[in-house]
Amino acid sequence: MTIYDTIIIGGGPAGMMAAISSATYGQKTLLLDKNRRLGKKLAGTGGGRCNVTNCGTLEELIAGIPGNGRFLYSVFSQFDNQDIIQFFEDRGIKLKEEDHSRMFPTTDKSSTIIQGLVNEMKRLGVTILTQTEIVSVKRPEKLFVLKSADQTFTAPRLIVTTGGKSYPSTGSTGFGHDIARHFKLEVTPLEAAESPLMTDFPHKRLQGISLDDVTLSYKKHVITHDLLFTHFGLSGPAAQRLSSFVSGGETIYLDVLPLKTKQELEAFLEEHRDKLLKNALKLLLPERLAEFYCDNFPEKPKQLSHKEREQLLEKLKNMPISVTGKMSLPKSFVTKGGVKLTEINPKTLESKKVPGLHFAGEVLDINGHTGGFNITSALCTGWVAGSLHF
Ligand SMILES: Cc1cc2nc3c(=O)[nH]c(=O)nc-3n(C[C@H](O)[C@H](O)[C@H](O)COP(=O)(O)OP(=O)(O)OC[C@H]3O[C@@H](n4cnc5c(N)ncnc54)[C@H](O)[C@@H]3O)c2cc1C
């Protein structure tokens, strides 16, 4: 039986970066994952293009991680989003910035990022075992003993990067929380975060339409970001971010043209008064949405009564939508809650109670917005957990 210096359970972004860092520090490193391929969840981010990081400032990064982002100051002082960008550039993988400071590989392919991480692990001599599900972890003496169905692995240092509990089909089924509990570490309640919203909206008709930078609001929470109409309601960053403040039974408001005031829209209707209303609105909105906004209004802007004009402007700028619920944890993008941060040394990500036991990535009680914030947290905590701190 080979004894490793460091074993990592979970080959998502946190685990792969932890393996790279650990091997860079000269550790004999083993990375285990139960899937056939590494980075299954990462592959699906950014619509399959891999939203590998976010190039915002430190303050923007922390603000993009509403679930305990402040815990990451020490981590980011060791390895941050600029280090992620440099890491990939140094290995010949160019990244590009898109809206909202989101970074993607210029190839627009997740496989570029995943292969880049895998190549680096191989170059550094990391042993990678896929299709290996760990079912128990014990520490009878000073070594961790891990068991799969038919193998045993041993090391003095264990890094747990098993992810949260959302999208369990990608492998993240909460095993890391069981490890934490086994070692008597507290785990905060697990909840859905970045959840798509179910609404009473006429889904079928608008399904598939995506909008850039619209405003969704609920009480004092006003979010301007991209939105996607789905068969069940609303998804995309605007809906997902608002999901922190609603659970079902609330009315939220949609402004599809936040950059235009009501006065500007009134002038626009006047300018196009002789056109078909639907053709006028098509200049501002996708065709199917323009048709939806024309429902129950006269054919041409010039035929609108004062009241109808007001109603149309109100619909465009402030349309009420009833939220009937939000997606459950397995169908939400991110898990809120996880290994309690007071259990963890913020400089090393090692358990304060169990020497040699580290946690990184979404298994921790840290959750960010989609847009690269979770992946940044995973890659940076992975690097720090894998590092040796002298
Ligand atoms: C559809 C979707 C889109 C997303 N988009 C974005 C986005 O745009 N921006 C963003 O920042 N975040 C996004 N996220 C969230 C982001 O992908 C996760 O936060 C991130 O992948 C977490 O990384 P991780 O390494 O901690 O865990 P994971 O990526 O979940 O990896 C955990 C790994 O551990 C393995 N594992 C678990 N248990 C065991 C076991 N017992 N034995 C062996 N292996 C095990 C799993 O197989 C898995 O490969 C998205 C999530 C989803 C589902």
Side-chain angles (χ1 to χ4, degrees):
M1 184 177 57
T2 315
I3 297 189
Y4 292 91
D5 297 321
T6 300
I7 298 180
I8 297 148
I9 314 178
M16 287 191 275
M17 197 52 117
I20 289 167
S21 152
S22 162
T24 301
Y25 276 85
Q27 297 263 292
K28 189 170 174 52
T29 303
L30 170 66
L31 175 72
L32 301 161
D33 199 289
K34 61 180 160 182
N35 290 333
R36 200 165 53 81
R37 283 167 173 267
L38 301 179
K40 190 168 177 189
K41 186 175 281 182
L42 184 63
T45 65
R49 298 187 303 126
C50 195
N51 180 191
V52 62
T53 189
N54 185 293
C55 66
T57 62
L58 175 64
E59 293 313 319
E60 285 164 347
L61 279 190
I62 302 289
I65 306 175
N68 294 322
R70 297 176 67 81
F71 178 82
L72 294 172
Y73 275 117
S74 174
V75 165
F76 288 151
S77 73
Q78 299 173 61
F79 197 89
D80 66 7
N81 53 347
Q82 296 305 327
D83 293 309
I84 294 173
I85 295 166
Q86 195 61 47
F87 173 89
F88 286 105
E89 297 250 322
D90 288 348
R91 285 150 190 87
I93 297 171
K94 291 223 171 322
L95 305 181
K96 59 175 172 175
E97 182 184 344
E98 294 195 0
D99 57 338
H100 300 277
S101 307
R102 296 179 307 154
M103 300 294 289
F104 295 87
T106 52
T107 57
D108 283 327
K109 286 190 184 130
S110 294
S111 54
T112 304
I113 295 297
I114 295 167
Q115 202 51 53
L117 292 164
V118 171
N119 288 347
E120 185 61 4
M121 285 191 285
K122 287 188 175 158
R123 191 183 72 78
L124 292 163
V126 173
T127 306
I128 301 170
L129 285 183
T130 53
Q131 292 178 293
T132 306
E133 175 167 11
I134 297 305
V135 292
S136 86
V137 176
K138 297 207 167 104
R139 191 170 178 265
E141 298 293 329
K142 290 200 163 158
L143 291 181
F144 292 95
V145 179
L146 285 64
K147 290 209 160 126
S148 68
D150 52 5
Q151 293 182 81
T152 301
F153 308 95
T154 306
R157 201 162 83 107
L158 175 65
I159 306 177
V160 180
T161 50
T162 46
K165 256 194 137 172
S166 36
Y167 277 62
S169 59
T170 64
S172 50
T173 49
F175 182 66
H177 307 123
D178 296 341
I179 298 175
R181 288 188 200 100
H182 171 82
F183 287 106
K184 312 253 177 304
L185 271 59
E186 204 176 324
V187 176
T188 60
L190 305 180
E191 293 169 31
E194 302 292 303
S195 316
L197 300 177
M198 292 178 279
T199 68
D200 70 346
F201 213 63
H203 332 123
K204 288 258 153 54
R205 200 168 152 197
L206 301 181
Q207 182 177 347
I209 297 175
S210 66
L211 300 171
D212 293 342
D213 291 325
V214 297
T215 296
L216 263 191
S217 54
Y218 173 64
K219 296 188 174 165
K220 64 179 189 336
H221 309 289
V222 180
I223 292 159
T224 301
H225 215 306
D226 305 345
L227 185 72
L228 174 68
F229 294 98
T230 70
H231 62 286
F232 54 77
L234 300 174
S235 191
Q240 287 158 21
R241 289 184 187 196
L242 206 67
S243 73
S244 302
F245 312 111
V246 296
S247 54
E250 303 85 358
T251 301
I252 61 174
Y253 293 89
L254 171 62
D255 177 352
V256 277
L257 294 167
L259 294 180
K260 292 219 179 300
T261 62
K262 273 192 178 176
Q263 287 73 20
E264 284 167 338
L265 284 174
E266 224 168 338
F268 172 85
L269 289 174
E270 195 49 39
E271 188 190 335
H272 299 283
R273 63 193 313 278
D274 294 321
K275 276 204 172 87
L276 287 177
L277 180 59
K278 119 177 143 187
N279 288 343
L281 291 183
K282 261 171 23 189
L283 300 171
L284 302 173
L285 298 170
E287 183 166 354
R288 277 195 290 142
L289 196 60
E291 283 166 4
F292 166 78
Y293 276 98
C294 292
D295 278 356
N296 305 321
F297 289 111
E299 268 200 330
K300 296 188 174 175
K302 69 178 177 193
Q303 296 162 336
L304 290 166
S305 67
H306 177 72
K307 193 171 167 205
E308 285 168 333
R309 189 175 284 248
E310 271 303 303
Q311 284 169 341
L312 175 60
L313 294 178
E314 188 64 12
K315 191 174 174 186
L316 287 165
K317 295 291 295 170
N318 209 21
M319 183 170 69
I321 300 174
S322 293
V323 177
T324 54
K326 61 181 182 181
M327 286 295 177
S328 59
L329 176 53
K331 290 184 177 162
S332 293
F333 286 55
V334 177
T335 303
K336 180 176 178 203
V339 177
K340 196 168 183 177
L341 298 176
T342 50
E343 302 278 9
I344 303 292
N345 178 337
K347 289 197 182 75
T348 58
L349 302 181
E350 187 176 16
S351 156
K352 291 177 184 168
K353 285 182 193 145
V354 186
L357 178 62
H358 296 68
F359 292 86
E362 210 181 308
V363 69
L364 288 165
D365 180 12
I366 294 172
N367 59 285
H369 293 314
T370 54
F373 297 101
N374 297 287
I375 298 165
T376 301
S377 166
L379 290 169
C380 296
T381 55
W383 177 270
V384 168
S387 307
L388 295 185
H389 297 84
F390 303 104

